[in-house]
Amino acid sequence: MNIVKMIADRIENKPLVSLDVKEEGKVYLHPSSAMVQTYDNKPLGACIRQVYFDKIGAKETNPVTSYNIMIQDSGNMWESWVIEKYKQLGIYLDNSIKLVDNIYNISCELDILHTNPELGTIEVTEVKSYAGHNYQATKEILGTDNQYPKPKDQNLLQVVKYLLVLKRYNIDRVNLLYIDRSSSSYWNNKQFILYLDGSDIYYKTLYKGEWIEIKETRFDTNSILEKDQALLQMLELKVAPPPDYHIQYTKDILEQEYLAGNVTKTNYQKVLKDEIDVSELCSFPCRYCRYSKNRDTGEATCLNYRD
């Protein structure tokens, strides 16, 4: 057994290699910052203004904290744990696979490439960690007695973009795997199997011991690509888009968002008890929720980035 040759063969003969290379001067979007406008005109995923400033290299006025880095490092550790388990299962092929797609202007890095021994096909797994002790998080991901499990919107959008790119490689399923980083229960780990049918988006998951299939009814792949085209056009024109989300809440908006499950009970009650002013709350995906309010008009301005 020539171990040196085996290692060389493994390095040279990768199971999945990008068909495209990056073109000079072309803007590439990352699936982790995917965004969409739903059929009823509601934004989901990243804020278009945030992604615009990311792409022009603007300076962040409120940079990443040590807590953000700790969460990221925790996610990387759990991803390594999953990779090791896939190797033990004998299904592992590769990890950290970088792909470029010049059709969709996408540059991405897949977590894990592996086989599906039941179907004899190749699939991708995207690993996410979350705080399983957090009721709001587990309620959404694991579901309840009267609510189906669902992936986080930003993760769903990310995986759909992977699926668009993977069509050219004859890979049509991506597993979105949530790992409870708090290890509060083994059963808090959750799998979603995502796939496309034309422009429609579907996922399967276990619910009450049975596999169920759910169709995404708020948007499709065309909606995601339309949002991308709007951003690319603004980048070409060098015009910063307005933020997709409320920079600050009013009490009416807070009530609507709380009833829709978009505001935690803790923050909602703090406003009701006058412990914090409602204007201190803002919509989630504007990454650091930093804003300035005009003393006279009350108008809020996004300060996430500085030109």
Side-chain angles (χ1 to χ4, degrees), residues 10-240:
R10 173 67 180 173
I11 293 172
E12 293 174 3
N13 300 307
K14 304 288 282 185
L16 182 62
V17 179
S18 181
L19 296 173
D20 291 346
V21 295
K22 287 188 176 181
E23 298 176 358
E24 187 175 352
K26 194 179 186 76
V27 175
Y28 291 90
L29 305 177
H30 301 296
S32 58
S33 296
M35 54 197 163
V36 71
Q37 211 77 20
T38 63
Y39 297 138
D40 59 356
N41 206 36
K42 180 180 179 181
L44 293 176
C47 174
I48 191 172
R49 183 177 176 87
Q50 173 192 309
V51 181
Y52 174 89
F53 282 116
D54 280 342
K55 289 297 151 189
I56 67 171
K59 182 180 178 181
E60 296 178 6
T61 57
N62 195 11
V64 173
T65 66
S66 57
Y67 175 75
N68 301 133
I69 295 172
M70 183 181 70
I71 294 298
Q72 183 179 354
D73 288 345
S74 173
N76 291 336
M77 287 188 289
W78 278 113
E79 181 183 328
S80 297
W81 179 81
V82 173
I83 289 172
E84 183 59 33
K85 296 305 173 188
Y86 275 33
K87 289 178 180 179
Q88 292 174 10
L89 290 170
I91 63 174
Y92 171 86
L93 292 174
D94 204 357
N95 66 280
S96 303
I97 306 101
K98 294 180 181 179
L99 298 179
V100 172
D101 193 290
N102 290 324
I103 298 173
Y104 295 118
N105 290 68
I106 293 175
S107 173
C108 59
E109 184 171 336
L110 310 177
D111 283 352
I112 310 173
L113 186 73
H114 57 93
T115 59
N116 182 325
E118 295 178 357
L119 300 177
T121 55
I122 295 178
E123 298 181 1
V124 167
T125 290
E126 177 69 15
V127 182
K128 302 293 183 185
S129 68
Y130 79 106
H133 65 277
N134 183 298
Y135 173 73
Q136 289 295 125
T138 55
K139 177 183 175 182
E140 178 180 20
I141 294 171
L142 302 182
T144 63
D145 285 342
N146 53 15
Q147 176 182 308
Y148 290 135
K150 66 182 293 289
K152 294 182 179 181
D153 288 329
Q154 64 268 34
N155 303 149
L156 173 62
L157 290 168
Q158 178 181 356
V159 169
V160 170
K161 281 203 161 185
Y162 287 168
L163 286 165
L164 289 171
V165 172
L166 289 167
K167 281 182 180 180
R168 297 171 64 190
Y169 304 86
N170 297 317
I171 298 174
D172 57 12
R173 287 158 63 108
V174 174
N175 300 274
L176 181 55
L177 188 61
Y178 286 97
I179 302 295
D180 173 14
R181 62 174 172 263
S182 65
S183 299
S184 50
S185 168
Y186 177 81
W187 301 108
N188 279 0
N189 299 330
K190 185 68 173 171
Q191 175 190 11
F192 296 91
I193 304 171
L194 289 94
Y195 51 96
L196 304 177
D197 184 0
S199 62
D200 293 328
I201 302 161
Y202 291 86
Y203 63 85
K204 289 182 180 180
T205 191
L206 278 170
Y207 180 62
K208 297 183 179 180
E210 297 183 358
W211 286 99
I212 60 171
E213 179 184 68
I214 296 177
K215 179 182 179 181
E216 175 56 65
T217 58
R218 297 169 297 170
F219 55 88
D220 60 16
T221 58
N222 293 329
S223 309
I224 298 171
L225 296 175
E226 286 170 7
K227 190 75 172 181
D228 283 356
Q229 286 304 311
L231 171 63
L232 292 170
Q233 185 176 19
M234 289 179 178
L235 286 165
E236 185 176 352
L237 296 173
K238 298 181 180 179
V239 176

